[in-house]
Amino acid sequence: MAHFDLIVIGGGSGGVACARRAASYGARVALCEPSRVGGTCVIRGCIPKKLMRYGAAFPDHFRAARGYGWQVEATHDWGALIAARDREIDRLNGVYIGMLEKAGVQLIRARGRVTAANAVEAGGETHTADRILIAVGARPSLPALTGIEHAITSDEALEGMPQKPGRLAVIGAGYIGVELAGILHGLGVETSLVLRRDLPLRGFDTDLRKALLEEMRGHGLDIRLETTISAIERTAGGVVLDSSAGRLAYDAVLYATGRDPIPNTRGIGLEELGVPMEPAGAIRVDADYQSSVPGIFAVGDCSDHAGNGLDSG
């Protein structure tokens, strides 16, 4: 058993930033994270998405080059792209670990579980602290739909997918769905963008939405408007979607119908301590990010954000 001034549970943006800042003021800090360090943006969000987006842009460059006399014959190696993406994420994970070590933060490579208001169990050992910060983030939400367990989300698309799907349905036409559909189509996946409405990007300027639809179709992307999905069925050949347009067959289906996050707060001891949470699992905090249990704090997507939950007065 060791005693710290602060134990952080979660190695995403909020957890890493708080741990480093506290250590810079001389606090003795530990951070519990069983997986890679860096959080959604680094591991399964902004960074891998940009890398895949850059790769998806090359077919347009090759086509344009013919107009300038270039004769380009190109093939794409999906496995090489995924391997390069993963190497970069591993490199950034190493950078984050190095920053923590340089700041003097002790990295505990295990899942942290709160056992008391001043104690955390991780990797079979229990440590105590004056303060505990919960920064476990959240995961994408999925609709209550028969067969939804056969779908993947942006997490799997940007962190996994070792094999290139031949035919893919992207369900949802918000900015995540639109961007992923464009990226995967550009990388040679036969992609369908399926949406319930008559235009993508609900809430954006109407002229922009119309122009986007025209441009995406002009690039060969299959877009199925005003189509709803009622069930997903796993078959020997992939997945079949029961839809208002009939049964649609694909190798895989990616759901991007909204990222109302589901906090990863269940099963880490908070319920047993009586830490107040919203129904979805967000920890209620005051303006100082503290829960109603003294010494337990929360930041990021696993909290209801400062001032929304408890009365700080």
Side-chain angles (χ1 to χ4, degrees):
M1 178 182 290
H3 182 79
F4 298 90
D5 297 305
L6 172 68
I7 294 178
V8 177
I9 300 178
S13 300
V16 169
C18 290
R20 291 179 62 206
R21 180 62 61 86
S24 74
Y25 290 120
R28 189 178 183 201
V29 182
L31 186 147
C32 305
E33 175 53 63
S35 183
R36 293 185 288 187
V37 179
T40 294
C41 182
V42 173
I43 298 169
R44 61 192 69 88
C46 319
I47 300 300
K49 182 263 293 182
K50 286 183 173 65
L51 295 174
M52 294 177 74
R53 171 66 185 89
Y54 296 152
F58 278 95
D60 283 340
H61 297 326
F62 295 147
R63 283 189 289 270
R66 298 187 188 114
Y68 298 92
W70 292 98
Q71 299 300 317
V72 181
E73 296 296 333
T75 59
H76 184 259
D77 186 331
W78 177 271
L81 170 67
I82 298 304
R85 179 201 67 186
D86 291 347
R87 283 195 301 272
E88 177 62 10
I89 303 310
D90 286 341
R91 184 189 72 82
L92 292 173
N93 174 60
V95 170
Y96 272 76
I97 291 174
M99 291 191 299
L100 290 171
E101 291 175 346
K102 184 177 180 180
V105 176
Q106 180 176 331
L107 178 59
I108 301 174
R109 296 178 177 273
R111 183 173 184 262
R113 186 177 185 277
V114 182
T115 57
N118 67 338
V120 172
E121 185 276 325
E125 296 183 342
T126 298
H127 306 285
T128 58
D130 296 335
R131 295 174 178 81
I132 297 170
L133 174 68
I134 311 298
V136 292
R139 61 189 183 278
S141 59
L142 287 168
L145 192 70
T146 300
I148 194 63
E149 66 272 14
H150 303 309
I152 64 172
T153 69
S154 59
D155 282 359
E156 291 81 16
L158 296 174
E159 189 179 11
M161 293 187 77
Q163 303 299 321
K164 177 182 176 180
R167 301 163 301 158
L168 174 74
V170 177
I171 314 298
Y175 63 90
I176 294 177
V178 165
E179 191 164 24
L180 288 177
I183 288 171
L184 293 164
H185 173 69
L187 291 171
V189 177
E190 187 180 325
T191 306
S192 295
L193 181 64
V194 183
L195 57 152
R196 294 178 299 173
R197 301 178 184 275
D198 59 345
L199 289 172
L201 293 184
R202 179 171 65 92
F204 284 71
D205 178 82
T206 300
D207 288 343
L208 182 151
R209 298 169 70 196
K210 290 179 179 178
L212 175 66
L213 177 62
E214 183 178 342
E215 286 294 321
M216 294 180 78
R217 281 181 163 164
H219 279 73
L221 186 63
D222 175 44
I223 302 181
R224 297 177 177 269
L225 304 174
E226 299 178 316
T227 303
T228 56
I229 308 300
S230 56
I232 303 172
E233 177 186 346
R234 169 66 68 184
T235 67
V239 293
V240 173
L241 309 181
D242 285 333
S243 80
S244 57
R247 287 172 63 83
L248 308 173
Y250 297 95
D251 295 320
V253 55
L254 189 161
Y255 256 82
T257 50
R259 198 181 173 95
D260 293 332
I262 300 175
N264 296 315
T265 53
R266 302 301 185 188
I268 61 172
L270 301 177
E271 297 96 330
E272 291 83 344
L273 289 179
V275 176
M277 292 184 282
E278 297 294 330
I283 300 168
R284 295 176 182 171
V285 295
D286 62 20
D288 295 320
Y289 299 93
Q290 184 169 213
S291 74
S292 63
V293 177
I296 295 182
F297 298 75
V299 297
D301 287 339
C302 70
S303 76
D304 71 345
H305 304 295
N308 291 339
L310 303 177
D311 183 358
S312 61

